[in-house]
Amino acid sequence: MDTVTAQRDLAEQRRHPHHHGHVDYERQIDYDLNRHSPSLEELQRIPGWGSDLDKKNRPAVPMERTPPRFIHVTAGQPVQQAQTVEVFCSPERPGITPLFGTAQPPKWLSGSMRRLAYKLPENDLRHWLMLLAADRVNMVEGIVDDLAHGHVPNVLGEMGIRAELRHNPAGLVRKALIATAVVGGILALRNRRRHY
C-alpha cells in the first residue's frame, strides 16, 4: 500500500475511531483485488468466457435461430413408431418408447443374451453383465458375418493401432505386454494341465 493511501486511512481512523482498522483492511482487499484482476485478453482465453455478454459479441450468434427451434412443440405424446423389429424393454417400464432404433435388430447368440438380460430387472447385476458380454459377442459375430460375406475385416486398423502407435506408443506397448502376458498365462495353464 502506498503512503498516500496509508495517510488517508490514518486520517479516516482518527475521524472514526470505532472502525478499529477495518477501513485499512477493506482498502487492502480492494487494492489486492484490483492488482490481481486479469486483463481482457487473459479472460478471452478462458473457454466459455463471455457467453452471457451482449449477443453482438457472442461467436455463436450467427448460428442461433430466431425464433429458436422446437418453439411450437405439439402437446401430448409423440406418435408411436411402428415396431418392425424386436425391441427389448425393461420389465420395470410399461411398453416401448415412442421412438426407438431399428438399425441393429437382435440376432444370433448376442440377441439371445440380450433377450435373457431383459428378463431381469435393471437393479440385478446379471442384467448389465449379460449386456456387456452380449456386446463383446456381437463384435465377434460381426467379424464372422464379414468373413461369411467375403469381406476380410481390417481388425488392426479398426482397433486404431496406427493412431495408437503415433499418439500413444507407450500405451500400445503396455497393452501388447498385457495381452502377451494373458495369452502366455493361458497357454502355460493349458500345458500344465496336460502334464497332470
Side-chain angles (χ1 to χ4, degrees), residues 81 85-87 97 99-105:
Q81 178 181 352
V85 297
E86 182 180 9
V87 178
T97 57
L99 299 173
F100 48 85
T102 59
Q104 300 292 330

Side-chain angles (χ1 to χ4, degrees), residues 37-169:
S37 61
S39 66
L40 183 62
E41 291 78 23
E42 291 173 331
L43 289 173
Q44 288 176 342
R45 287 189 218 130
I46 300 172
W49 181 85
S51 60
D52 56 346
L53 292 177
D54 189 0
K55 284 188 173 185
K56 292 182 294 188
N57 298 328
R58 289 191 212 167
V61 165
M63 292 184 282
E64 291 180 351
R65 291 176 53 139
T66 304
R69 297 179 193 186
F70 310 119
I71 197 167
H72 301 294
V73 177
T74 56
Q77 289 287 326
V79 178
Q80 178 67 49
Q81 178 181 352
Q83 185 177 354
T84 56
V85 297
E86 182 180 9
V87 178
F88 296 127
C89 180
S90 170
E92 298 164 354
R93 297 191 178 120
I96 59 176
T97 57
L99 299 173
F100 48 85
T102 59
Q104 300 292 330
K107 60 182 180 181
W108 300 345
L109 179 61
S110 62
S112 300
M113 293 172 70
R114 289 188 176 112
R115 195 172 294 113
L116 188 62
Y118 274 98
K119 289 181 181 177
L120 300 171
E122 292 180 358
N123 64 346
D124 193 332
L125 183 61
R126 295 174 297 173
H127 171 85
W128 299 107
L129 290 177
M130 277 195 278
L131 289 178
L132 286 172
D135 284 346
R136 302 285 72 86
V137 169
N138 194 5
M139 183 192 71
V140 175
E141 289 173 347
I143 294 173
V144 172
D145 190 37
D146 283 346
L147 293 174
H149 287 92
H151 174 72
V152 178
N154 182 8
V155 176
L156 295 179
E158 292 173 3
M159 290 175 64
I161 296 295
R162 185 177 293 171
E164 190 86 6
L165 183 63
R166 184 175 179 184
H167 299 289
N168 187 18

